[in-house]
Amino acid sequence: MGGFRGHVIPGTVFMLFSVWWFVAEIFQKGRRNGRIIIERRTSSKQRKDGTKMNPYLPLWYSCHGDKLSRIPMEPLVKVILALGGVLVELPFAQSATLFDENGGFLSANLPNYQHAMMYCFFGLTGIVELVIWYDILPLPPRIDYLAMAFAFWMEGFLFSIHLHGRDELNARLHSILYVIIFITAVIFTLATFCDQVLPLLSLVKIYLLSLQGTWFFQIAFVLYGSNPWKNTHSNVEFVAIAFALHALVLFLVQLIAHTICRDLWNKKNCQIKGTLTDGSCDEE
């Protein structure tokens, strides 16, 4: 499903996940909780074949609280959203028919299938996380990271061949999008091997998710908004400036938000522990 909704919906999903990951990352570093709950759970279990599960911090974040932390909410949400995306793209959009009466492909429905395949790969990440959580299969450690990296590689690939027959403005907008996606794929691939060694990778992942989300919104309003941009040379050139503004504003917003949240959280911890003296508190 192209058009306005076809870009706003995935943009909203990426933005919501970036906000959730940002809040959860701050909470995890402040409380040293969150994903550590899952680490203890996996490290204390024995697989059905008798081997012990190697402890590591999974890609996703658990909810706070004794009851909610025992439910893999984020993986479930990923699977549900992916299933909903496939249904919206194909049967609900009446685009499930792949072949015409002559046995050829229906070109009008192929973009919907491209979008549906993108949702399938992200749904796969949720399935992998659920398999690890419930120990259904003896999957190797950090396969959840690799599955997410794979999803972004495939998303970038699908969007890179999504430009056939488009005008220059449309192609420029989507070219920037798949560049963001490929960079995100590289970062998640790197995180597969050294996420715990390089803590800043978590913030980089969050930043790229939010950047991808806002750029989906930019495409929606430029091409399908109430006042679509014309395919002129000046508009095409301004797209690069618009992207730079997105990157700059998001970087400043997340930097300021991260600084404020960490400062407030540290002060709250100091007050709770009764160690606040002279307006300062030692870091743990």
Side-chain angles (χ1 to χ4, degrees), residues 30-78:
R31 289 286 298 268
R32 304 198 180 279
N33 200 337
R35 289 192 290 173
I36 290 183
I37 295 175
I38 307 168
E39 179 187 8
R40 290 173 180 171
R41 183 182 190 278
T42 57
S43 62
S44 63
K45 289 183 62 177
Q46 296 288 335
R47 287 200 175 105
K48 297 177 182 178
D49 60 3
T51 60
K52 190 174 182 180
M53 298 179 70
N54 295 324
Y56 73 96
L57 295 180
L59 176 66
W60 60 280
Y61 296 86
S62 64
C63 297
H64 181 52
D66 292 336
K67 293 183 178 180
L68 288 178
S69 64
R70 298 173 184 174
I71 303 174
M73 294 297 295
E74 185 178 322
L76 288 172
V77 169
K78 289 175 182 174

Side-chain angles (χ1 to χ4, degrees), residues 61-284:
Y61 296 86
S62 64
C63 297
H64 181 52
D66 292 336
K67 293 183 178 180
L68 288 178
S69 64
R70 298 173 184 174
I71 303 174
M73 294 297 295
E74 185 178 322
L76 288 172
V77 169
K78 289 175 182 174
V79 174
I80 293 172
L81 288 177
L83 179 60
V86 173
L87 293 175
V88 168
E89 289 289 346
L90 299 179
F92 293 169
Q94 298 181 349
S95 301
T97 303
L98 188 57
F99 302 98
D100 57 23
E101 62 275 6
N102 298 321
F105 291 107
L106 282 173
S107 58
N109 292 348
L110 291 181
N112 296 70
Y113 270 91
Q114 289 177 337
H115 289 185
M117 288 303 302
M118 178 187 73
Y119 291 129
C120 286
F121 279 101
F122 283 105
L124 177 64
T125 66
I127 293 175
V128 169
E129 291 164 355
L130 290 173
V131 170
I132 295 174
W133 175 261
Y134 290 109
D135 194 21
I136 299 173
L137 294 173
L139 298 179
R142 308 188 74 82
I143 192 66
D144 48 344
Y145 285 78
L146 191 60
M148 183 62 76
F150 185 44
F152 279 111
W153 281 115
M154 292 307 301
E155 182 195 7
F157 168 73
L158 290 170
F159 271 104
S160 67
I161 62 174
H162 200 54
L163 307 181
H164 180 70
R166 298 175 183 267
D167 59 44
E168 188 178 4
L169 177 63
N170 195 313
R172 177 69 62 87
L173 288 164
H174 285 87
S175 296
I176 292 175
L177 177 62
Y178 75 70
V179 168
I180 301 171
I181 297 170
F182 278 134
I183 295 175
T184 307
V186 170
I187 294 299
F188 274 90
T189 303
L190 184 62
T192 303
F193 304 100
C194 55
D195 186 56
Q196 298 180 51
V197 180
L198 301 173
L200 279 178
L201 280 181
S202 296
L203 296 178
V204 175
K205 290 183 292 185
I206 294 167
Y207 173 75
L208 290 171
L209 279 185
S210 62
L211 184 59
Q212 187 177 160
T214 60
W215 196 248
F216 264 112
F217 275 97
Q218 183 72 61
I219 296 174
F221 283 97
V222 168
L223 299 180
Y224 309 104
S226 58
N227 188 24
W229 293 14
K230 295 181 180 180
N231 184 35
T232 62
H233 177 73
S234 58
N235 285 343
V236 173
E237 290 299 316
F238 185 77
V239 166
I241 300 175
F243 172 71
L245 288 173
H246 278 254
L248 176 62
V249 171
L250 284 175
F251 181 84
L252 292 176
V253 168
Q254 292 192 16
L255 180 64
I256 294 171
H258 183 270
T259 303
I260 294 175
C261 289
R262 288 303 302 276
D263 184 61
L264 292 176
W265 192 260
N266 288 336
K267 288 182 179 179
K268 181 180 178 181
N269 281 345
C270 289
Q271 292 174 351
I272 292 175
K273 295 178 182 179
T275 57
L276 185 61
T277 58
D278 297 330
S280 62
C281 179
D282 294 334
E283 294 272 350
E284 287 189 353

